[in-house]
Amino acid sequence: MNVEEFLDKYTSGTRDFYGVDLCEANLSGAKLNGVNLSKADLSVINLSGANLSEANLSYAKLNVAKLRGANLKNANLKGATLNVANLIRADLSNAQLTGASMIRCELIRANLSHADLMTANLKGADLREAALRHTVLREAHLSEATFKDSFLTGANLELANLKGADLTRADLSGANFRDAELKQAILIQADLSGANLSGANLRWADLSRANLRWADLSEAKLSGANLTGADLSYANLTNASLIHTDLTHAKLIKVEWVGADLTGAVLTGTKLYATSRFGLKTEGIICEWVDLSPTGDRTIIHNFTSLDSRDFFNETPPTIRIIVDKTIDHEANFAIAGAYYQIAQQYPELKQPPSIEVGCRRTIFTFYVDNDESLLPTAYIAILPFKDTSNAHKNIYTLIEMISDEDTSQLGLRFHSLEKVNMLLEQAIDNAALIKKMKKILEITGKFKFFQAPTQIVLTNSSAQNLLLYDHPYFGKRFLNSADDLHYIAYDNSMEVSQIITPSLSMIVDFFKGFHLTSDQ
């Protein structure tokens, strides 16, 4: 069919041109909205400036086609082949392009916002300055494609292949890259704020000066990546692989990165204000100094001249475990949640609720703290909802007295570390007194048998050393009772101090020796 015949039929009202052959035809500027060109051969056709809005071009051949400035809004291009086609400044917003082949396609400044390109092949395509806001690119093949200065805000690139793609200065804020392939991708100065990169492969990617604030990089693979000068404030790097990653001068303020592997990474000049330094693998890291100032303005510099960096970054997070010799029920769980919420209002150092592990006979509450010196003070507060509070506090007082009565220098303990423990403990004691006066906080837990059960308190320092801080004498001891199959031996707070088991001095000293220095020491 020639061009004149085709246009005459369209003008007379015909819209169905299924399978038509218009190869190399010149239809530039033609108004063909709503036309059906499904499975048509439109190779090397000239449709520059044409109106093809809501047209059906599914499975059509458009290889090397000229579609510069064409209106393809809401068009159906499912399964179409547009290899090496010119779509510069074309409007493909809301278009259906699932499974389309667009290899080396020119899409400079094209509008593909809200389009569906799931499983589409855009290998080597040029999408510079293109708009792809909220576009679906799930499982799309985008390797070696160019997205320089493009806009992919809120786009879905889950499981997409972007190996070697160039996304320099691209706006990728809020985009979904979960489990995407981004090996050797170029993301220099890209805006990835709030993006989901969990499980993504970013090995050897260039993310220098990128904005990754609030991004989710949990389980991401960043080995060998360049993150020089990148802003990762508030990012989630839990269990991320950062082996040999360059983080020089990166901003890591308030980052969550427990379980991250930083083996061989470069951390010189990183900004680490309010970021936990525990739960990390840091063997062979390179770090000459870090910035601990709140705004990352280098007003608080911590040099590693006398202190080895391994004493600053540690693999084991300090924890407090309260082990209750009874299984928690729903009512007690509700009560403890309310109690710890109220306690945290008076004691902000209790930053997050404990993790709870429920067994067939016992319940374990685990609290994570930012440094070793906070272990005793936080344990003093964490035990408050339980009947064992008074005796546990007595053990803490006894432990501190035992250390204070000895010459700490002879024991090999750091004076500053003990001084900080005492200071934080005094604050905790004052807070506990205030919490006890506010009866509403603890009166609810006092009504449940769960909180009367015997407890143990186990502290773990950043050197992975444990200290049994408190062990109720009847912990684990049960006998048959006519009312219950298993019943706890009754006890009260009048239990003699001689019955309370206190750690030995050598155990306490070894535990304190395992403390790692904090930044202000």
Side-chain angles (χ1 to χ4, degrees):
M1 184 182 294
N2 60 39
V3 172
E4 291 76 12
E5 185 183 355
F6 169 76
L7 290 174
D8 285 344
K9 285 189 176 184
Y10 181 85
T11 303
S12 63
T14 302
R15 294 291 180 268
D16 189 359
F17 296 92
Y18 179 90
V20 70
D21 184 354
L22 288 168
C23 185
E24 298 187 34
N26 184 0
L27 288 164
S28 61
K31 295 178 181 178
L32 300 164
N33 51 300
V35 70
N36 180 13
L37 290 163
S38 179
K39 292 196 174 181
D41 187 352
L42 306 170
S43 303
V44 204
I45 195 171
N46 185 356
L47 284 161
S48 299
N51 183 356
L52 291 153
S53 60
E54 300 186 19
N56 184 0
L57 292 151
S58 57
Y59 303 101
K61 294 179 182 178
L62 287 145
N63 294 324
V64 203
K66 295 179 182 177
L67 289 149
R68 186 184 184 104
N71 180 0
L72 289 151
K73 191 173 183 179
N74 295 307
N76 181 3
L77 288 139
K78 183 179 180 180
T81 55
L82 295 116
N83 300 328
V84 203
N86 182 342
L87 284 148
I88 296 171
R89 294 181 182 274
D91 187 353
L92 289 144
S93 57
N94 295 292
Q96 175 60 256
L97 288 146
T98 54
S101 180
M102 304 172 78
I103 298 169
R104 291 172 53 208
C105 195
E106 290 184 277
L107 288 150
I108 301 166
R109 296 191 181 181
N111 183 5
L112 292 116
S113 295
H114 298 279
D116 188 349
L117 289 110
M118 184 172 174
T119 69
N121 187 352
L122 288 98
K123 182 179 179 180
D126 191 343
L127 292 121
R128 284 174 290 168
E129 300 181 49
L132 297 105
R133 295 179 179 91
H134 301 284
T135 301
V136 176
L137 289 154
R138 193 178 191 274
E139 298 181 72
H141 191 171
L142 305 163
S143 62
E144 300 171 25
T146 300
F147 290 89
K148 277 186 179 180
D149 300 300
S150 58
F151 304 90
L152 289 102
T153 310
N156 183 357
L157 294 113
E158 193 174 2
L159 296 163
N161 182 358
L162 290 124
K163 184 178 179 181
D166 189 346
L167 294 116
T168 302
R169 296 182 301 275
D171 183 352
L172 307 163
S173 54
N176 181 4
F177 288 92
R178 189 172 69 87
D179 295 322
E181 175 61 66
L182 287 148
K183 185 177 180 180
Q184 296 176 322
I186 302 168
L187 292 139
I188 299 168
Q189 290 184 281
D191 184 358
L192 285 150
S193 56
N196 182 358
L197 291 145
S198 57
N201 182 9
L202 287 148
R203 289 188 177 99
W204 307 106
D206 191 345
L207 288 143
S208 55
R209 294 173 289 160
N211 179 4
L212 287 148
R213 290 174 65 88
W214 295 100
D216 185 355
L217 289 146
S218 56
E219 309 282 347
K221 304 165 189 69
L222 288 146
S223 301
N226 181 6
L227 283 155
T228 304
D231 186 354
L232 290 125
S233 301
Y234 306 97
N236 180 4
L237 286 157
T238 304
N239 296 323
S241 175
L242 294 147
I243 299 169
H244 295 293
T245 301
D246 191 346
L247 288 152
T248 304
H249 298 297
K251 189 178 282 188
L252 294 159
I253 293 173
K254 296 187 178 180
V255 160
E256 175 59 55
W257 57 354
V258 172
D261 190 345
L262 289 151
T263 303
V266 181
L267 289 151
T268 298
T270 52
K271 306 171 197 312
L272 288 167
Y273 175 74
T275 296
S276 174
R277 305 191 304 273
F278 299 102
L280 304 167
K281 295 180 181 179
T282 56
E283 185 178 351
I285 63 167
I286 299 168
C287 189
E288 297 174 7
W289 61 275
V290 292
D291 182 354
L292 298 170
S293 57
T295 58
D297 59 4
R298 302 194 185 189
T299 52
I300 305 174
I301 296 295
H302 189 80
N303 293 296
F304 295 111
T305 50
S306 58
L307 175 66
D308 193 281
S309 58
R310 286 176 297 178
D311 209 23
F312 188 83
F313 299 99
N314 304 285
E315 200 165 329
T316 307
T319 59
I320 301 147
R321 279 180 293 151
I322 296 177
I323 306 167
V324 184
D325 202 16
K326 189 174 177 65
T327 299
I328 196 168
D329 56 28
H330 287 296
E331 287 184 316
N333 187 45
F334 180 77
I336 194 68
Y340 280 135
Y341 170 76
Q342 294 293 337
I343 289 169
Q345 305 307 300
Q346 302 298 321
Y347 189 74
E349 287 75 11
L350 202 67
K351 293 180 178 178
Q352 60 184 30
S355 61
I356 305 176
E357 182 183 341
V358 184
C360 59
R361 290 181 59 172
R362 291 173 184 165
T363 305
I364 303 172
F365 296 89
T366 303
F367 298 82
Y368 292 87
V369 295
D370 290 337
N371 51 67
D372 290 311
E373 291 86 351
S374 295
L375 285 167
L376 279 172
T378 305
Y380 191 95
I381 294 292
I383 193 65
L384 284 174
F386 297 90
K387 190 173 181 179
D388 272 347
T389 296
S390 178
N391 291 317
H393 284 177
K394 287 176 186 176
N395 255 29
I396 294 173
Y397 298 141
T398 303
L399 184 151
I400 292 297
E401 286 174 8
M402 289 169 69
I403 286 286
S404 300
D405 290 343
E406 300 293 326
D407 185 343
T408 55
S409 60
Q410 298 253 339
L411 295 172
L413 298 177
R414 300 184 180 101
F415 172 75
H416 291 297
S417 189
L418 292 173
E419 188 178 42
K420 186 172 180 182
V421 170
N422 281 318
M423 180 190 72
L424 293 174
L425 186 57
E426 287 175 12
Q427 293 173 1
I429 291 168
D430 291 341
N431 277 279
L434 182 62
I435 290 165
K436 287 176 181 178
K437 286 180 182 178
M438 301 172 69
K439 293 183 180 179
K440 287 184 180 180
I441 294 178
L442 302 175
E443 66 181 8
I444 297 175
T445 58
K447 297 176 181 178
F448 296 98
K449 288 183 180 180
F450 175 78
F451 301 98
Q452 318 299 315
T455 63
Q456 287 181 338
I457 303 175
V458 180
L459 307 183
T460 303
N461 63 22
S462 57
S463 297
Q465 295 169 305
N466 292 330
L467 179 71
L468 183 58
L469 178 66
Y470 174 76
D471 185 15
H472 191 282
Y474 296 153
F475 186 90
K477 297 177 181 178
R478 296 178 172 89
F479 67 94
L480 290 175
N481 182 278
S482 56
D484 305 291
D485 289 337
L486 284 173
H487 189 73
Y488 289 93
I489 295 175
Y491 72 95
D492 55 41
N493 284 330
S494 64
M495 179 171 47
E496 294 181 11
V497 176
S498 60
Q499 289 181 277
I500 304 172
I501 301 168
T502 306
S504 67
L505 179 61
S506 61
M507 292 167 64
I508 298 165
V509 169
D510 287 342
F511 187 75
F512 272 77
K513 280 182 179 180
F515 282 18
H516 284 100
L517 294 177
T518 52
S519 58
D520 56 354
Q521 294 172 8

